[in-house]
Amino acid sequence: MTFEAFPTHALMEITSRPPLVFVRGEGSWLWDHEGKRYLDFVQGWAVNCFGHSPAVVVNALAEQSRKLITPSPAFYNEPSLRLARRIVEESCYHQVFFTNSGAEANEGAFKLARKWGALNKAGAYEIITFVDAFHGRTLAAMSASGKTAFDALFEPKVPGFPRARLNDLASVENLITDKTVGVMLEPIQGEAGVFIATDAFLRDLRELTRQRGLLLIVDEIQTGVGRTGKLWGYEHAGIEPDIMTLGKMLGGGVPLAALVATDAVSCFAHGDQGGTFNGNPLMAAVGNAVMEAVLAPGFLQTVEARGAYVTKGLAGLSARHGLGEVRGRGLLIALDLNKEIAPRVVELARDAGLLLNAPRPSMLRFMPALNLSQDEADTMLGMLDGVLKQALAEDAGKK
Ligand SMILES: *Cc1c(COP(=O)(O)O)cnc(C)c1O
């Protein structure tokens, strides 16, 4: 079947997509409608922790789908109880509300913080967020995000999200008023291009929020569940936030996300929060299988080691081609190209059979499966070397 034969006009045009239809995946590899194979360093947007269609996800879906799919969120089901217990046992939090997407988990965090403010802080509701932050695409999540492309969209925004600057404690302090209920940030700003909140900043922020009686909320939708080489991103700084949101890798490829909070903050009353598919056993069964595999002895150490390997390889390419900084943690890594050639690099890489992401025109982001093999890392580095050479030659030719 040729690309033109697919009914693409029936889908809303929400982004520019390449003229490819993906039909099959296996681990780090994807196949398109013409049978062409791609090495995938996008992985569903940092979602597929064990790559495409891994046994761990396939088996959990198959087994659970034969038992029970949706009893209703008004009843308990065993997989969601087990997954909630696992998350709280492995973290500094005590209670979980499952959602179907990251943005929905963040909506839950805003609501929980506002409820807590209503009960404990005379109706304080403002949540300080950060320039370049990304928290999702519902109206409140876009309002909380610091992406300049969102600024003019869908006005009026949801009020109550003043914006500080990452790694600048004074910029946070300056925004605190008696309306402030909390501070929310990503331990690593992923969509912005992998900018790390330093361990010192996170520790200072924890101290400041504690002193001022404010909630610290971490959006771990991209950093959670092992991406950075630790189970949760906040662990690098040794802090204990009050609220965390999860998504992406928690479901290993299926829609599963979560709002997680300490006992002291878990103040929803009956009727405050809910949702038809929330905590359904089919997705929760996958979440259990993913957590089991990520927490298998030694697994997170291999993520860290593989991350260091890819980082070193990218630093080598950067030096060879005269590019910029390589930064990241675990297997969430960015390479600065220092020239606005990233979209062209992505295109050339795709032609060569490698899927990459350019969060900004001068930047590449790498978010492979956590079980990436060293061979696959080497294959990517080799392909990227050739692609960079070509893109840089084209760019030089234009001048
Ligand atoms: C992807 C992402 C979101 C949004 O999650 P969705 O599942 O797309 O709604 C929110 N915050 C961060 C940090 C993300 O990376």
Side-chain angles (χ1 to χ4, degrees):
M1 195 160 160
T2 63
F3 175 73
E4 286 68 31
F6 286 99
T8 52
H9 55 276
L11 280 183
M12 286 194 191
E13 183 76 11
I14 50 105
T15 188
S16 147
R17 298 181 174 105
L20 305 170
V21 179
F22 287 101
V23 294
R24 189 165 76 81
E26 195 183 312
S28 284
W29 299 89
L30 265 181
W31 283 262
D32 72 13
H33 63 286
E34 289 182 321
K36 181 174 164 182
R37 187 173 87 140
Y38 301 80
L39 179 57
D40 188 4
F41 269 66
V42 175
Q43 284 293 353
W45 228 260
V47 163
N48 305 317
C49 33
F50 298 101
H52 293 283
S53 295
V56 86
V57 172
V58 171
N59 294 341
L61 281 172
E63 279 168 35
Q64 186 59 40
S65 66
R66 283 193 290 264
K67 278 191 216 154
L68 182 63
I69 294 176
T70 295
S72 158
F75 301 124
Y76 290 119
N77 71 75
E78 191 275 334
S80 72
L81 293 169
R82 193 150 44 90
L83 181 56
R85 185 184 61 190
R86 191 83 202 249
I87 291 170
V88 304
E89 275 174 2
E90 301 290 342
S91 71
C92 64
Y93 310 96
H94 309 105
Q95 296 206 313
V96 181
F97 173 75
F98 291 111
T99 66
N100 308 294
S101 72
E104 191 191 358
N106 283 341
E107 286 282 331
F110 307 149
K111 285 170 64 175
L112 190 64
R114 284 187 175 199
K115 180 79 195 272
W116 186 84
L119 295 174
N120 300 289
K121 282 188 86 73
Y125 65 93
E126 285 192 351
I127 299 171
I128 297 171
T129 57
F130 288 82
V131 173
D132 292 329
F134 180 75
H135 296 300
R137 290 179 175 278
T138 60
L139 193 53
M142 287 180 86
S143 306
S145 295
K147 240 176 120 107
T148 44
F150 287 178
D151 282 350
L153 293 173
F154 313 121
E155 292 296 295
K157 292 284 195 316
V158 177
F161 298 103
R163 229 167 263 170
R165 284 182 305 277
L166 195 67
N167 296 325
D168 178 350
L169 195 71
S171 76
V172 178
E173 262 181 303
N174 290 339
L175 291 173
I176 297 175
T177 69
D178 55 8
K179 291 202 185 75
T180 310
V181 72
V183 179
M184 174 166 180
L185 81 170
E186 303 151 86
I188 299 175
Q189 290 189 336
E191 298 305 302
V194 190
F195 292 100
I196 299 175
T198 65
D199 294 344
F201 178 67
L202 285 175
R203 284 195 283 267
D204 288 348
L205 203 54
R206 178 67 284 190
E207 199 178 306
L208 175 69
T209 48
R210 212 162 251 153
Q211 273 170 7
R212 305 294 286 267
L214 303 174
L215 302 177
L216 181 61
I217 305 168
V218 285
D219 176 343
E220 297 244 17
I221 291 164
Q222 193 154 147
T223 52
V225 199
R227 173 61 60 188
T228 69
K230 292 199 186 289
L231 188 58
W232 319 118
Y234 71 80
E235 289 177 65
H236 292 279
I239 59 162
E240 297 196 342
D242 302 295
I243 298 176
M244 163 171 89
T245 52
L246 299 174
K248 295 201 163 88
M249 298 214 303
L250 182 61
V254 304
L256 175 65
L259 164 65
V260 190
T262 62
D263 267 340
V265 179
S266 300
C267 58
F268 281 144
H270 291 181
D272 287 349
Q273 185 66 319
T276 301
F277 293 116
N278 296 51
N280 70 80
L282 187 62
M283 298 302 118
V286 178
N288 279 313
V290 164
M291 286 289 285
E292 190 68 34
V294 167
L295 287 166
F299 182 75
L300 288 174
Q301 284 91 309
T302 69
V303 173
E304 210 178 328
R306 198 69 78 235
Y309 186 82
V310 173
T311 299
K312 188 161 162 244
L314 290 173
L317 290 182
S318 178
R320 173 129 40 111
H321 295 285
L323 307 173
E325 184 184 40
V326 180
R327 64 180 169 271
R329 251 174 182 166
L331 282 167
L332 180 58
I333 306 168
L335 167 63
D336 275 339
L337 302 174
N338 289 351
K339 295 183 183 71
E340 302 215 332
I341 56 169
R344 182 63 181 148
V345 170
V346 167
E347 195 174 63
L348 288 169
R350 197 168 57 231
D351 291 346
L354 169 65
L355 299 179
L356 294 176
N357 166 248
R360 292 189 182 193
S362 62
M363 221 179 262
L364 296 174
R365 177 172 46 162
F366 304 83
M367 36 191 175
L370 298 187
N371 61 351
L372 181 80
S373 71
Q374 189 160 318
D375 274 356
E376 288 160 350
D378 287 335
T379 303
M380 182 280 286
L381 291 164
M383 288 168 111
L384 183 59
D385 190 19
V387 164
L388 285 170
K389 195 185 289 174
Q390 188 179 343
L392 288 163
E394 282 180 14
D395 186 61
K398 278 187 201 141
K399 292 195 177 122

